[in-house]
Amino acid sequence: MDSFTIFIDPDFPVEDVETIANRLTSLNCLASGFIPPPVGLLDIAALMYAERCDEIETTLIVDRNLASRMAQLAREGAPRKWDRTTEIAVKLMAFAQAMNLDIEPGLAFHELAHRDGNASAQAELSWFRAADRGAAVKWIDVALGRATKVDLGPVAEPETHDLAKPLMRWRRNYIVALKIAEPALIGGKAVNSMLALFDWMIDDFILAGPAAMYAARYFGPLANKGRMMKSMRSNDRERAIAGAKNAAWDITYVSEFCRRTRSGEESGRQYIFASGDQALIDVASIITCGPEADEDGPSLLERLCEWWPGREGRVIHDRYLACIERVGNGRNRGTDLTGDPIGEMILQGEGWLRSWPGK
């Protein structure tokens, strides 16, 4: 068996970083875009080996809640409250800075700009940059409770990105979220709703894999549906619209994670997605599931059967694979459409959700 030696700076806080890594692992807040080593996803030696020997850089993709908590600590100097999301955000930043891992927050601030406007998102992004400057010891002290206040320096210079510009990936995922809302409100057998969604994707839209898996998690009998599609039955139908938009952002995080993971090998990067939303981590984790189970993890079928115990999990699995095969055989839906079909589908879906007769 080959062996290797990694030399670590004597000042490197090994025990602190291991404690933080173990806690992050126990919080089940991470989805890996690669097969993690047997010693664990956040093992110090494994990550150093990947960087120094394999020349692979590791990047963390964080959702808006985590990015905002990181920025808030830099802006205010102390956490407003110590809940699960704050703990994940603080420990993740401490681990990333100690291990020299990049954090990619871009999509998080697109989401914030979409909700609160470009100026608000730019201001918070500047505080995130201040948080991410490199103060590992300070972050570790807060993460381990040795400090309750921290000075991370002044706000960073504002950037000029147009974060409020609509993202095509989000618009497509929003259409799917609006479509998921229909059977969610009409009711009926959940597996039929899932199969109907596959049919609609193939016949009238595109086969959006992350969105399909989000729907599979949502319609599954074990899901906490109210957290995945918020306020669907609210008397204020604009809250239902906001719930569908929020679901579309969740799906877009998974699709961005998938996109970067697919391109990672060429760029010498590997990606980890982080969120305090357990359902979102469940969906993101499914992207590394292969057709067969092995020592590294379950198969796609096994994971779907965790969400859909019994025969229904296999039914959904087989229909999804049939859809993939159909796409692979040259289906090319939408190339002959004129006008703005995406915009029209959004208006149609929003119209149905606003006028839901059960409100």
PDB file of all heavy atoms in Angstrom, residues 135-173:
ATOM      1  N   ALA A 135      -9.301  35.172   8.449  1.00  0.00           N
ATOM      2  CA  ALA A 135      -9.074  35.384   9.882  1.00  0.00           C
ATOM      3  C   ALA A 135      -9.474  34.097  10.590  1.00  0.00           C
ATOM      4  O   ALA A 135     -10.371  34.074  11.431  1.00  0.00           O
ATOM      5  CB  ALA A 135      -9.881  36.570  10.394  1.00  0.00           C
ATOM      6  N   ALA A 136      -8.792  33.026  10.230  1.00  0.00           N
ATOM      7  CA  ALA A 136      -9.208  31.693  10.672  1.00  0.00           C
ATOM      8  C   ALA A 136      -9.275  31.583  12.193  1.00  0.00           C
ATOM      9  O   ALA A 136     -10.234  31.017  12.739  1.00  0.00           O
ATOM     10  CB  ALA A 136      -8.260  30.638  10.106  1.00  0.00           C
ATOM     11  N   VAL A 137      -8.278  32.122  12.890  1.00  0.00           N
ATOM     12  CA  VAL A 137      -8.251  31.988  14.350  1.00  0.00           C
ATOM     13  C   VAL A 137      -9.464  32.667  14.976  1.00  0.00           C
ATOM     14  O   VAL A 137     -10.081  32.137  15.907  1.00  0.00           O
ATOM     15  CB  VAL A 137      -6.940  32.566  14.916  1.00  0.00           C
ATOM     16  CG1 VAL A 137      -6.987  32.587  16.441  1.00  0.00           C
ATOM     17  CG2 VAL A 137      -5.747  31.747  14.439  1.00  0.00           C
ATOM     18  N   LYS A 138      -9.828  33.834  14.461  1.00  0.00           N
ATOM     19  CA  LYS A 138     -10.992  34.544  14.995  1.00  0.00           C
ATOM     20  C   LYS A 138     -12.271  33.741  14.770  1.00  0.00           C
ATOM     21  O   LYS A 138     -13.122  33.634  15.665  1.00  0.00           O
ATOM     22  CB  LYS A 138     -11.108  35.927  14.349  1.00  0.00           C
ATOM     23  CG  LYS A 138      -9.993  36.881  14.736  1.00  0.00           C
ATOM     24  CD  LYS A 138     -10.197  38.244  14.077  1.00  0.00           C
ATOM     25  CE  LYS A 138      -9.091  39.219  14.481  1.00  0.00           C
ATOM     26  NZ  LYS A 138      -9.282  40.562  13.866  1.00  0.00           N
ATOM     27  N   TRP A 139     -12.426  33.192  13.574  1.00  0.00           N
ATOM     28  CA  TRP A 139     -13.617  32.395  13.279  1.00  0.00           C
ATOM     29  C   TRP A 139     -13.640  31.127  14.140  1.00  0.00           C
ATOM     30  O   TRP A 139     -14.693  30.715  14.629  1.00  0.00           O
ATOM     31  CB  TRP A 139     -13.653  32.036  11.791  1.00  0.00           C
ATOM     32  CG  TRP A 139     -14.185  33.142  10.940  1.00  0.00           C
ATOM     33  CD1 TRP A 139     -13.456  34.058  10.247  1.00  0.00           C
ATOM     34  CD2 TRP A 139     -15.558  33.461  10.697  1.00  0.00           C
ATOM     35  NE1 TRP A 139     -14.285  34.925   9.578  1.00  0.00           N
ATOM     36  CE2 TRP A 139     -15.582  34.582   9.826  1.00  0.00           C
ATOM     37  CE3 TRP A 139     -16.762  32.907  11.109  1.00  0.00           C
ATOM     38  CZ2 TRP A 139     -16.772  35.162   9.380  1.00  0.00           C
ATOM     39  CZ3 TRP A 139     -17.959  33.479  10.663  1.00  0.00           C
ATOM     40  CH2 TRP A 139     -17.963  34.592   9.811  1.00  0.00           C
ATOM     41  N   ILE A 140     -12.503  30.501  14.325  1.00  0.00           N
ATOM     42  CA  ILE A 140     -12.441  29.286  15.150  1.00  0.00           C
ATOM     43  C   ILE A 140     -12.839  29.607  16.592  1.00  0.00           C
ATOM     44  O   ILE A 140     -13.582  28.844  17.228  1.00  0.00           O
ATOM     45  CB  ILE A 140     -11.028  28.670  15.091  1.00  0.00           C
ATOM     46  CG1 ILE A 140     -10.789  28.046  13.709  1.00  0.00           C
ATOM     47  CG2 ILE A 140     -10.850  27.622  16.180  1.00  0.00           C
ATOM     48  CD1 ILE A 140      -9.359  27.593  13.477  1.00  0.00           C
ATOM     49  N   ASP A 141     -12.374  30.740  17.108  1.00  0.00           N
ATOM     50  CA  ASP A 141     -12.722  31.107  18.483  1.00  0.00           C
ATOM     51  C   ASP A 141     -14.233  31.282  18.645  1.00  0.00           C
ATOM     52  O   ASP A 141     -14.815  30.857  19.645  1.00  0.00           O
ATOM     53  CB  ASP A 141     -11.992  32.392  18.889  1.00  0.00           C
ATOM     54  CG  ASP A 141     -10.514  32.158  19.179  1.00  0.00           C
ATOM     55  OD1 ASP A 141     -10.130  30.982  19.371  1.00  0.00           O
ATOM     56  OD2 ASP A 141      -9.750  33.147  19.202  1.00  0.00           O
ATOM     57  N   VAL A 142     -14.883  31.906  17.665  1.00  0.00           N
ATOM     58  CA  VAL A 142     -16.342  32.054  17.731  1.00  0.00           C
ATOM     59  C   VAL A 142     -17.016  30.696  17.553  1.00  0.00           C
ATOM     60  O   VAL A 142     -17.966  30.349  18.268  1.00  0.00           O
ATOM     61  CB  VAL A 142     -16.845  33.054  16.666  1.00  0.00           C
ATOM     62  CG1 VAL A 142     -18.379  33.135  16.692  1.00  0.00           C
ATOM     63  CG2 VAL A 142     -16.245  34.434  16.895  1.00  0.00           C
ATOM     64  N   ALA A 143     -16.516  29.918  16.620  1.00  0.00           N
ATOM     65  CA  ALA A 143     -17.121  28.608  16.330  1.00  0.00           C
ATOM     66  C   ALA A 143     -17.098  27.694  17.539  1.00  0.00           C
ATOM     67  O   ALA A 143     -18.024  26.903  17.758  1.00  0.00           O
ATOM     68  CB  ALA A 143     -16.396  27.948  15.151  1.00  0.00           C
ATOM     69  N   LEU A 144     -16.048  27.786  18.343  1.00  0.00           N
ATOM     70  CA  LEU A 144     -15.895  26.899  19.495  1.00  0.00           C
ATOM     71  C   LEU A 144     -16.324  27.554  20.809  1.00  0.00           C
ATOM     72  O   LEU A 144     -16.095  26.997  21.888  1.00  0.00           O
ATOM     73  CB  LEU A 144     -14.443  26.419  19.594  1.00  0.00           C
ATOM     74  CG  LEU A 144     -13.975  25.558  18.420  1.00  0.00           C
ATOM     75  CD1 LEU A 144     -12.536  25.111  18.621  1.00  0.00           C
ATOM     76  CD2 LEU A 144     -14.882  24.346  18.229  1.00  0.00           C
ATOM     77  N   GLY A 145     -16.923  28.741  20.713  1.00  0.00           N
ATOM     78  CA  GLY A 145     -17.454  29.381  21.903  1.00  0.00           C
ATOM     79  C   GLY A 145     -16.433  30.047  22.780  1.00  0.00           C
ATOM     80  O   GLY A 145     -16.736  30.410  23.926  1.00  0.00           O
ATOM     81  N   ARG A 146     -15.238  30.237  22.273  1.00  0.00           N
ATOM     82  CA  ARG A 146     -14.206  30.900  23.072  1.00  0.00           C
ATOM     83  C   ARG A 146     -14.314  32.423  22.990  1.00  0.00           C
ATOM     84  O   ARG A 146     -13.673  33.149  23.754  1.00  0.00           O
ATOM     85  CB  ARG A 146     -12.816  30.438  22.616  1.00  0.00           C
ATOM     86  CG  ARG A 146     -12.545  28.967  22.892  1.00  0.00           C
ATOM     87  CD  ARG A 146     -11.066  28.646  22.813  1.00  0.00           C
ATOM     88  NE  ARG A 146     -10.579  28.699  21.453  1.00  0.00           N
ATOM     89  CZ  ARG A 146     -10.211  27.614  20.749  1.00  0.00           C
ATOM     90  NH1 ARG A 146     -10.312  26.404  21.292  1.00  0.00           N
ATOM     91  NH2 ARG A 146      -9.750  27.739  19.529  1.00  0.00           N
ATOM     92  N   ALA A 147     -15.094  32.899  22.029  1.00  0.00           N
ATOM     93  CA  ALA A 147     -15.334  34.331  21.872  1.00  0.00           C
ATOM     94  C   ALA A 147     -16.787  34.531  21.440  1.00  0.00           C
ATOM     95  O   ALA A 147     -17.342  33.707  20.711  1.00  0.00           O
ATOM     96  CB  ALA A 147     -14.387  34.934  20.838  1.00  0.00           C
ATOM     97  N   THR A 148     -17.375  35.608  21.894  1.00  0.00           N
ATOM     98  CA  THR A 148     -18.743  35.942  21.488  1.00  0.00           C
ATOM     99  C   THR A 148     -18.778  37.157  20.574  1.00  0.00           C
ATOM    100  O   THR A 148     -19.796  37.422  19.932  1.00  0.00           O
ATOM    101  CB  THR A 148     -19.619  36.218  22.717  1.00  0.00           C
ATOM    102  OG1 THR A 148     -19.024  37.275  23.489  1.00  0.00           O
ATOM    103  CG2 THR A 148     -19.750  34.966  23.577  1.00  0.00           C
ATOM    104  N   LYS A 149     -17.658  37.890  20.527  1.00  0.00           N
ATOM    105  CA  LYS A 149     -17.557  39.042  19.649  1.00  0.00           C
ATOM    106  C   LYS A 149     -16.280  38.945  18.830  1.00  0.00           C
ATOM    107  O   LYS A 149     -15.307  38.330  19.262  1.00  0.00           O
ATOM    108  CB  LYS A 149     -17.552  40.342  20.459  1.00  0.00           C
ATOM    109  CG  LYS A 149     -18.858  40.594  21.210  1.00  0.00           C
ATOM    110  CD  LYS A 149     -18.809  41.933  21.935  1.00  0.00           C
ATOM    111  CE  LYS A 149     -20.123  42.201  22.656  1.00  0.00           C
ATOM    112  NZ  LYS A 149     -20.109  43.497  23.373  1.00  0.00           N
ATOM    113  N   VAL A 150     -16.300  39.555  17.656  1.00  0.00           N
ATOM    114  CA  VAL A 150     -15.139  39.462  16.771  1.00  0.00           C
ATOM    115  C   VAL A 150     -15.081  40.707  15.893  1.00  0.00           C
ATOM    116  O   VAL A 150     -16.117  41.260  15.501  1.00  0.00           O
ATOM    117  CB  VAL A 150     -15.222  38.187  15.898  1.00  0.00           C
ATOM    118  CG1 VAL A 150     -16.419  38.229  14.970  1.00  0.00           C
ATOM    119  CG2 VAL A 150     -13.943  37.985  15.113  1.00  0.00           C
ATOM    120  N   ASP A 151     -13.897  41.172  15.611  1.00  0.00           N
ATOM    121  CA  ASP A 151     -13.689  42.301  14.705  1.00  0.00           C
ATOM    122  C   ASP A 151     -13.001  41.769  13.457  1.00  0.00           C
ATOM    123  O   ASP A 151     -11.840  41.371  13.497  1.00  0.00           O
ATOM    124  CB  ASP A 151     -12.824  43.373  15.376  1.00  0.00           C
ATOM    125  CG  ASP A 151     -12.623  44.597  14.477  1.00  0.00           C
ATOM    126  OD1 ASP A 151     -13.148  44.605  13.346  1.00  0.00           O
ATOM    127  OD2 ASP A 151     -11.938  45.550  14.914  1.00  0.00           O
ATOM    128  N   LEU A 152     -13.734  41.752  12.347  1.00  0.00           N
ATOM    129  CA  LEU A 152     -13.201  41.222  11.093  1.00  0.00           C
ATOM    130  C   LEU A 152     -12.798  42.338  10.131  1.00  0.00           C
ATOM    131  O   LEU A 152     -12.564  42.085   8.962  1.00  0.00           O
ATOM    132  CB  LEU A 152     -14.239  40.305  10.438  1.00  0.00           C
ATOM    133  CG  LEU A 152     -14.585  39.053  11.257  1.00  0.00           C
ATOM    134  CD1 LEU A 152     -15.747  38.299  10.630  1.00  0.00           C
ATOM    135  CD2 LEU A 152     -13.369  38.147  11.384  1.00  0.00           C
ATOM    136  N   GLY A 153     -12.733  43.549  10.642  1.00  0.00           N
ATOM    137  CA  GLY A 153     -12.250  44.646   9.817  1.00  0.00           C
ATOM    138  C   GLY A 153     -13.373  45.375   9.087  1.00  0.00           C
ATOM    139  O   GLY A 153     -14.552  45.034   9.203  1.00  0.00           O
ATOM    140  N   PRO A 154     -12.997  46.379   8.297  1.00  0.00           N
ATOM    141  CA  PRO A 154     -13.997  47.207   7.613  1.00  0.00           C
ATOM    142  C   PRO A 154     -14.654  46.472   6.451  1.00  0.00           C
ATOM    143  O   PRO A 154     -14.165  45.451   5.978  1.00  0.00           O
ATOM    144  CB  PRO A 154     -13.171  48.393   7.113  1.00  0.00           C
ATOM    145  CG  PRO A 154     -11.798  47.819   6.907  1.00  0.00           C
ATOM    146  CD  PRO A 154     -11.615  46.818   8.009  1.00  0.00           C
ATOM    147  N   VAL A 155     -15.759  47.032   6.022  1.00  0.00           N
ATOM    148  CA  VAL A 155     -16.470  46.466   4.885  1.00  0.00           C
ATOM    149  C   VAL A 155     -15.599  46.529   3.637  1.00  0.00           C
ATOM    150  O   VAL A 155     -14.792  47.452   3.460  1.00  0.00           O
ATOM    151  CB  VAL A 155     -17.808  47.221   4.666  1.00  0.00           C
ATOM    152  CG1 VAL A 155     -17.549  48.658   4.265  1.00  0.00           C
ATOM    153  CG2 VAL A 155     -18.674  46.501   3.641  1.00  0.00           C
ATOM    154  N   ALA A 156     -15.736  45.552   2.768  1.00  0.00           N
ATOM    155  CA  ALA A 156     -14.962  45.525   1.528  1.00  0.00           C
ATOM    156  C   ALA A 156     -15.530  46.517   0.519  1.00  0.00           C
ATOM    157  O   ALA A 156     -16.676  46.967   0.628  1.00  0.00           O
ATOM    158  CB  ALA A 156     -14.977  44.111   0.946  1.00  0.00           C
ATOM    159  N   GLU A 157     -14.733  46.841  -0.471  1.00  0.00           N
ATOM    160  CA  GLU A 157     -15.193  47.729  -1.535  1.00  0.00           C
ATOM    161  C   GLU A 157     -16.367  47.095  -2.272  1.00  0.00           C
ATOM    162  O   GLU A 157     -16.354  45.891  -2.553  1.00  0.00           O
ATOM    163  CB  GLU A 157     -14.060  48.006  -2.523  1.00  0.00           C
ATOM    164  CG  GLU A 157     -12.954  48.896  -1.987  1.00  0.00           C
ATOM    165  CD  GLU A 157     -13.441  50.312  -1.723  1.00  0.00           C
ATOM    166  OE1 GLU A 157     -14.247  50.833  -2.538  1.00  0.00           O
ATOM    167  OE2 GLU A 157     -13.036  50.891  -0.693  1.00  0.00           O
ATOM    168  N   PRO A 158     -17.398  47.881  -2.592  1.00  0.00           N
ATOM    169  CA  PRO A 158     -18.545  47.314  -3.308  1.00  0.00           C
ATOM    170  C   PRO A 158     -18.159  46.845  -4.705  1.00  0.00           C
ATOM    171  O   PRO A 158     -17.251  47.406  -5.333  1.00  0.00           O
ATOM    172  CB  PRO A 158     -19.539  48.480  -3.356  1.00  0.00           C
ATOM    173  CG  PRO A 158     -18.698  49.710  -3.186  1.00  0.00           C
ATOM    174  CD  PRO A 158     -17.555  49.312  -2.306  1.00  0.00           C
ATOM    175  N   GLU A 159     -18.842  45.810  -5.153  1.00  0.00           N
ATOM    176  CA  GLU A 159     -18.636  45.291  -6.501  1.00  0.00           C
ATOM    177  C   GLU A 159     -19.735  45.808  -7.416  1.00  0.00           C
ATOM    178  O   GLU A 159     -20.739  46.351  -6.948  1.00  0.00           O
ATOM    179  CB  GLU A 159     -18.598  43.760  -6.456  1.00  0.00           C
ATOM    180  CG  GLU A 159     -17.474  43.236  -5.562  1.00  0.00           C
ATOM    181  CD  GLU A 159     -17.475  41.719  -5.401  1.00  0.00           C
ATOM    182  OE1 GLU A 159     -18.049  41.023  -6.261  1.00  0.00           O
ATOM    183  OE2 GLU A 159     -16.903  41.230  -4.405  1.00  0.00           O
ATOM    184  N   THR A 160     -19.553  45.614  -8.699  1.00  0.00           N
ATOM    185  CA  THR A 160     -20.467  46.250  -9.661  1.00  0.00           C
ATOM    186  C   THR A 160     -21.337  45.249 -10.422  1.00  0.00           C
ATOM    187  O   THR A 160     -21.948  45.594 -11.414  1.00  0.00           O
ATOM    188  CB  THR A 160     -19.667  47.083 -10.675  1.00  0.00           C
ATOM    189  OG1 THR A 160     -18.730  46.228 -11.355  1.00  0.00           O
ATOM    190  CG2 THR A 160     -18.928  48.210  -9.982  1.00  0.00           C
ATOM    191  N   HIS A 161     -21.399  44.010  -9.964  1.00  0.00           N
ATOM    192  CA  HIS A 161     -22.205  43.023 -10.667  1.00  0.00           C
ATOM    193  C   HIS A 161     -23.691  43.393 -10.606  1.00  0.00           C
ATOM    194  O   HIS A 161     -24.173  43.914  -9.595  1.00  0.00           O
ATOM    195  CB  HIS A 161     -22.026  41.637 -10.039  1.00  0.00           C
ATOM    196  CG  HIS A 161     -20.598  41.252  -9.816  1.00  0.00           C
ATOM    197  ND1 HIS A 161     -19.701  41.105 -10.842  1.00  0.00           N
ATOM    198  CD2 HIS A 161     -19.904  40.998  -8.678  1.00  0.00           C
ATOM    199  CE1 HIS A 161     -18.514  40.771 -10.354  1.00  0.00           C
ATOM    200  NE2 HIS A 161     -18.615  40.698  -9.042  1.00  0.00           N
ATOM    201  N   ASP A 162     -24.396  43.100 -11.684  1.00  0.00           N
ATOM    202  CA  ASP A 162     -25.855  43.277 -11.687  1.00  0.00           C
ATOM    203  C   ASP A 162     -26.474  41.994 -11.142  1.00  0.00           C
ATOM    204  O   ASP A 162     -26.852  41.096 -11.886  1.00  0.00           O
ATOM    205  CB  ASP A 162     -26.347  43.561 -13.107  1.00  0.00           C
ATOM    206  CG  ASP A 162     -27.850  43.823 -13.141  1.00  0.00           C
ATOM    207  OD1 ASP A 162     -28.469  43.893 -12.049  1.00  0.00           O
ATOM    208  OD2 ASP A 162     -28.417  43.919 -14.245  1.00  0.00           O
ATOM    209  N   LEU A 163     -26.579  41.929  -9.829  1.00  0.00           N
ATOM    210  CA  LEU A 163     -27.062  40.706  -9.194  1.00  0.00           C
ATOM    211  C   LEU A 163     -28.551  40.498  -9.386  1.00  0.00           C
ATOM    212  O   LEU A 163     -29.052  39.380  -9.222  1.00  0.00           O
ATOM    213  CB  LEU A 163     -26.727  40.747  -7.693  1.00  0.00           C
ATOM    214  CG  LEU A 163     -25.234  40.786  -7.354  1.00  0.00           C
ATOM    215  CD1 LEU A 163     -25.031  41.052  -5.873  1.00  0.00           C
ATOM    216  CD2 LEU A 163     -24.560  39.486  -7.764  1.00  0.00           C
ATOM    217  N   ALA A 164     -29.272  41.563  -9.696  1.00  0.00           N
ATOM    218  CA  ALA A 164     -30.716  41.448  -9.862  1.00  0.00           C
ATOM    219  C   ALA A 164     -31.113  40.978 -11.265  1.00  0.00           C
ATOM    220  O   ALA A 164     -32.297  40.725 -11.519  1.00  0.00           O
ATOM    221  CB  ALA A 164     -31.385  42.794  -9.560  1.00  0.00           C
ATOM    222  N   LYS A 165     -30.157  40.853 -12.162  1.00  0.00           N
ATOM    223  CA  LYS A 165     -30.474  40.418 -13.521  1.00  0.00           C
ATOM    224  C   LYS A 165     -31.073  39.015 -13.487  1.00  0.00           C
ATOM    225  O   LYS A 165     -30.531  38.112 -12.859  1.00  0.00           O
ATOM    226  CB  LYS A 165     -29.213  40.411 -14.387  1.00  0.00           C
ATOM    227  CG  LYS A 165     -29.457  40.015 -15.823  1.00  0.00           C
ATOM    228  CD  LYS A 165     -28.151  40.051 -16.624  1.00  0.00           C
ATOM    229  CE  LYS A 165     -28.394  39.658 -18.070  1.00  0.00           C
ATOM    230  NZ  LYS A 165     -27.129  39.696 -18.863  1.00  0.00           N
ATOM    231  N   PRO A 166     -32.226  38.801 -14.135  1.00  0.00           N
ATOM    232  CA  PRO A 166     -32.864  37.481 -14.090  1.00  0.00           C
ATOM    233  C   PRO A 166     -31.952  36.384 -14.647  1.00  0.00           C
ATOM    234  O   PRO A 166     -31.270  36.579 -15.659  1.00  0.00           O
ATOM    235  CB  PRO A 166     -34.104  37.658 -14.980  1.00  0.00           C
ATOM    236  CG  PRO A 166     -34.366  39.129 -14.994  1.00  0.00           C
ATOM    237  CD  PRO A 166     -33.018  39.775 -14.901  1.00  0.00           C
ATOM    238  N   LEU A 167     -31.922  35.260 -13.975  1.00  0.00           N
ATOM    239  CA  LEU A 167     -31.138  34.111 -14.408  1.00  0.00           C
ATOM    240  C   LEU A 167     -32.041  33.144 -15.155  1.00  0.00           C
ATOM    241  O   LEU A 167     -33.085  32.750 -14.639  1.00  0.00           O
ATOM    242  CB  LEU A 167     -30.512  33.400 -13.205  1.00  0.00           C
ATOM    243  CG  LEU A 167     -29.568  34.216 -12.329  1.00  0.00           C
ATOM    244  CD1 LEU A 167     -29.088  33.370 -11.153  1.00  0.00           C
ATOM    245  CD2 LEU A 167     -28.382  34.726 -13.139  1.00  0.00           C
ATOM    246  N   MET A 168     -31.629  32.733 -16.354  1.00  0.00           N
ATOM    247  CA  MET A 168     -32.454  31.826 -17.137  1.00  0.00           C
ATOM    248  C   MET A 168     -32.678  30.513 -16.405  1.00  0.00           C
ATOM    249  O   MET A 168     -33.778  29.943 -16.437  1.00  0.00           O
ATOM    250  CB  MET A 168     -31.806  31.573 -18.500  1.00  0.00           C
ATOM    251  CG  MET A 168     -32.586  30.590 -19.383  1.00  0.00           C
ATOM    252  SD  MET A 168     -34.301  31.107 -19.694  1.00  0.00           S
ATOM    253  CE  MET A 168     -34.021  32.509 -20.791  1.00  0.00           C
ATOM    254  N   ARG A 169     -31.648  30.016 -15.704  1.00  0.00           N
ATOM    255  CA  ARG A 169     -31.821  28.747 -14.980  1.00  0.00           C
ATOM    256  C   ARG A 169     -32.901  28.878 -13.915  1.00  0.00           C
ATOM    257  O   ARG A 169     -33.707  27.982 -13.715  1.00  0.00           O
ATOM    258  CB  ARG A 169     -30.485  28.326 -14.342  1.00  0.00           C
ATOM    259  CG  ARG A 169     -29.526  27.695 -15.323  1.00  0.00           C
ATOM    260  CD  ARG A 169     -28.177  27.440 -14.659  1.00  0.00           C
ATOM    261  NE  ARG A 169     -27.525  28.693 -14.310  1.00  0.00           N
ATOM    262  CZ  ARG A 169     -27.041  28.982 -13.108  1.00  0.00           C
ATOM    263  NH1 ARG A 169     -27.139  28.105 -12.132  1.00  0.00           N
ATOM    264  NH2 ARG A 169     -26.440  30.128 -12.879  1.00  0.00           N
ATOM    265  N   TRP A 170     -32.902  30.021 -13.219  1.00  0.00           N
ATOM    266  CA  TRP A 170     -33.937  30.221 -12.204  1.00  0.00           C
ATOM    267  C   TRP A 170     -35.315  30.316 -12.838  1.00  0.00           C
ATOM    268  O   TRP A 170     -36.284  29.762 -12.318  1.00  0.00           O
ATOM    269  CB  TRP A 170     -33.661  31.486 -11.392  1.00  0.00           C
ATOM    270  CG  TRP A 170     -34.738  31.691 -10.356  1.00  0.00           C
ATOM    271  CD1 TRP A 170     -34.788  31.125  -9.122  1.00  0.00           C
ATOM    272  CD2 TRP A 170     -35.926  32.459 -10.501  1.00  0.00           C
ATOM    273  NE1 TRP A 170     -35.945  31.500  -8.476  1.00  0.00           N
ATOM    274  CE2 TRP A 170     -36.668  32.326  -9.306  1.00  0.00           C
ATOM    275  CE3 TRP A 170     -36.453  33.262 -11.520  1.00  0.00           C
ATOM    276  CZ2 TRP A 170     -37.888  32.948  -9.093  1.00  0.00           C
ATOM    277  CZ3 TRP A 170     -37.669  33.893 -11.325  1.00  0.00           C
ATOM    278  CH2 TRP A 170     -38.380  33.744 -10.121  1.00  0.00           C
ATOM    279  N   ARG A 171     -35.441  31.001 -13.963  1.00  0.00           N
ATOM    280  CA  ARG A 171     -36.747  31.140 -14.612  1.00  0.00           C
ATOM    281  C   ARG A 171     -37.293  29.773 -15.023  1.00  0.00           C
ATOM    282  O   ARG A 171     -38.481  29.489 -14.864  1.00  0.00           O
ATOM    283  CB  ARG A 171     -36.640  32.064 -15.833  1.00  0.00           C
ATOM    284  CG  ARG A 171     -36.231  33.485 -15.503  1.00  0.00           C
ATOM    285  CD  ARG A 171     -36.234  34.350 -16.748  1.00  0.00           C
ATOM    286  NE  ARG A 171     -37.580  34.733 -17.128  1.00  0.00           N
ATOM    287  CZ  ARG A 171     -37.985  34.941 -18.368  1.00  0.00           C
ATOM    288  NH1 ARG A 171     -37.138  34.757 -19.383  1.00  0.00           N
ATOM    289  NH2 ARG A 171     -39.215  35.313 -18.621  1.00  0.00           N
ATOM    290  N   ARG A 172     -36.426  28.906 -15.540  1.00  0.00           N
ATOM    291  CA  ARG A 172     -36.897  27.562 -15.905  1.00  0.00           C
ATOM    292  C   ARG A 172     -37.318  26.781 -14.664  1.00  0.00           C
ATOM    293  O   ARG A 172     -38.342  26.083 -14.672  1.00  0.00           O
ATOM    294  CB  ARG A 172     -35.794  26.815 -16.661  1.00  0.00           C
ATOM    295  CG  ARG A 172     -35.524  27.339 -18.074  1.00  0.00           C
ATOM    296  CD  ARG A 172     -34.706  26.337 -18.870  1.00  0.00           C
ATOM    297  NE  ARG A 172     -33.373  26.162 -18.302  1.00  0.00           N
ATOM    298  CZ  ARG A 172     -32.270  26.766 -18.753  1.00  0.00           C
ATOM    299  NH1 ARG A 172     -32.353  27.593 -19.776  1.00  0.00           N
ATOM    300  NH2 ARG A 172     -31.098  26.536 -18.203  1.00  0.00           N
ATOM    301  N   ASN A 173     -36.521  26.901 -13.600  1.00  0.00           N
ATOM    302  CA  ASN A 173     -36.879  26.179 -12.378  1.00  0.00           C
ATOM    303  C   ASN A 173     -38.147  26.746 -11.736  1.00  0.00           C
ATOM    304  O   ASN A 173     -38.893  26.014 -11.077  1.00  0.00           O
ATOM    305  CB  ASN A 173     -35.717  26.229 -11.389  1.00  0.00           C
ATOM    306  CG  ASN A 173     -34.536  25.402 -11.847  1.00  0.00           C
ATOM    307  OD1 ASN A 173     -34.699  24.373 -12.496  1.00  0.00           O
ATOM    308  ND2 ASN A 173     -33.335  25.849 -11.534  1.00  0.00           N
TER     309      ASN A 173
END
